[in-house]
Structure formats: C-alpha cells, structure tokens
Amino acid sequence: MEHSWHPGEHLLRNSSNSYRSYGSDTDLPTASPVVLCNYLDKQNPNGVLSLKQWKKRWFMLDRATLTYSKSESGDPIKMISLLNIKNAVYTRDGQFEVLTNLFMDNRKPRTFYLKADSSEMAQAWVHSINVNTTLFKHASDPTPTRDQVLRDQDRVVTRL
C-alpha cells in the first residue's frame, strides 16, 4: 500500500505492512524511538585533492544505532552507537550533518555529511536521529531487548 509522505508527518509500518500516520512530532509515541531506513548520499571524507565524492548508501536508524551499508541487503560498513552521536543538524538543500564523538586519524571529530532526496526527508532524518539519541542516552538500560528489536523491525518509515 503506497502512502504519500508530507513534511512533519511520520509514517510507521506495522506487521501487516499497512501504515499509520502521525500528523506531527507531538503525536508520536513519546516512549518509542523512530525507525528509519532509506538510501542517502554520504560524502567520502577522504576525497582526492579536496574532491569529496558522494556515494549512495543504505542507512538504517533504530533505537540504538545508525548503520549504513552499500545496499539494502549488504553487510554493514559502519554501525554507530547513538551514544557516540552528539546531534544531527540540517544544513541546506536536503543536506545534513551528523556530529559524533568518534575521531578520525587527524584527531578531529568525525562528522558525517549526508544528503537526502528532499529537504523534507533530510529534516525527518535530523529530527529522528536527535529524538532517538536523546531517548537512548536517557534510557535506564540502553541495551535493547530482543522484543524491542523485533518491534522496531515492524516500525519503519516508508522509503520515498
């Protein structure tokens, strides 16, 4: 079932693959993190001669991690614990940054530069990363249970 997505709206998929729409951020279930998955463009931090190439990667945000791989079915390239994410910031034209506590070889904090297909989708990613990070860092036991992981698999925002 196709459902068109609108700015400020969150779509959560249940086990029967139907979607429930939450009209705004305040309508979202406050105790539950948002699970997102979609292709995003990621800027390579090690470009040659300052040319930073963009590569399409499959991203998955869940209650504890931000993970990316080359494809939907590919092995993860990197899995970032939400404990290592400071915040996400929308910049412009569908682009956003994820600031981390991870360090690169040059001892500078790692920032992931990402680009979504639309400004609205980029803003949804920024919001969801920040919400999940806050929820995860304030959870009494940040390790998700098996039941929580299974529930998260049923709560995925549709790809746009």
Side-chain angles (χ1 to χ4, degrees), residues 5 8-10 34 36 61 119-129 157:
W5 183 79
E9 177 184 56
H10 298 272
V34 178
L36 289 173
L61 173 68
S119 294
E120 293 81 12
M121 195 62 198
Q123 290 171 11
W125 274 93
V126 167
H127 171 78
S128 299
I129 290 169
V157 172

Side-chain angles (χ1 to χ4, degrees), residues 10 24-26 28 34 36 61 88-90 96 121-134:
H10 298 272
S24 69
D25 296 346
T26 57
L28 281 170
V34 178
L36 289 173
L61 173 68
V89 179
Y90 179 80
F96 61 102
M121 195 62 198
Q123 290 171 11
W125 274 93
V126 167
H127 171 78
S128 299
I129 290 169
N130 289 332
V131 166
N132 286 18
T133 300
T134 300

Side-chain angles (χ1 to χ4, degrees), residues 17-48:
N17 282 332
S18 62
Y19 293 93
R20 175 170 177 205
S21 172
Y22 294 91
S24 69
D25 296 346
T26 57
D27 295 337
L28 281 170
T30 56
S32 299
V34 178
V35 178
L36 289 173
C37 59
N38 205 341
Y39 279 99
L40 298 172
D41 293 321
K42 182 183 104 32
Q43 192 176 60
N44 181 353
N46 301 316
V48 179

Side-chain angles (χ1 to χ4, degrees), residues 80 82-86 99-103 109-110 137:
I80 306 161
L82 296 185
L83 291 174
N84 288 323
I85 293 180
K86 292 180 183 179
L99 292 85
T100 71
N101 294 320
L102 304 173
F103 291 89
R110 175 72 195 267
K137 288 178 179 178

Side-chain angles (χ1 to χ4, degrees), residues 12-143:
L12 303 179
R13 184 172 69 188
N14 62 26
S15 58
S16 65
N17 282 332
S18 62
Y19 293 93
R20 175 170 177 205
S21 172
Y22 294 91
S24 69
D25 296 346
T26 57
D27 295 337
L28 281 170
T30 56
S32 299
V34 178
V35 178
L36 289 173
C37 59
N38 205 341
Y39 279 99
L40 298 172
D41 293 321
K42 182 183 104 32
Q43 192 176 60
N44 181 353
N46 301 316
V48 179
L49 300 174
S50 300
L51 296 175
K52 310 283 186 176
Q53 295 180 336
W54 291 91
K55 295 182 180 181
K56 190 165 286 301
R57 297 290 183 242
W58 177 255
F59 277 80
M60 172 79 177
L61 173 68
D62 62 27
R63 71 176 55 245
T65 61
L66 177 64
T67 305
Y68 66 91
S69 58
K70 286 187 178 183
S71 67
E72 205 170 330
S73 58
D75 291 331
I77 295 172
K78 186 172 285 289
M79 183 178 288
I80 306 161
S81 167
L82 296 185
L83 291 174
N84 288 323
I85 293 180
K86 292 180 183 179
N87 68 337
V89 179
Y90 179 80
T91 54
R92 68 185 188 291
D93 301 329
Q95 296 182 31
F96 61 102
E97 300 174 358
V98 178
L99 292 85
T100 71
N101 294 320
L102 304 173
F103 291 89
M104 297 177 54
D105 293 339
N106 61 7
R107 299 184 138 338
K108 291 184 180 179
R110 175 72 195 267
T111 299
F112 290 85
Y113 298 95
L114 305 173
K115 184 169 32 173
D117 289 339
S118 69
S119 294
E120 293 81 12
M121 195 62 198
Q123 290 171 11
W125 274 93
V126 167
H127 171 78
S128 299
I129 290 169
N130 289 332
V131 166
N132 286 18
T133 300
T134 300
L135 289 172
F136 187 68
K137 288 178 179 178
H138 291 92
S140 57
D141 180 11
T143 307

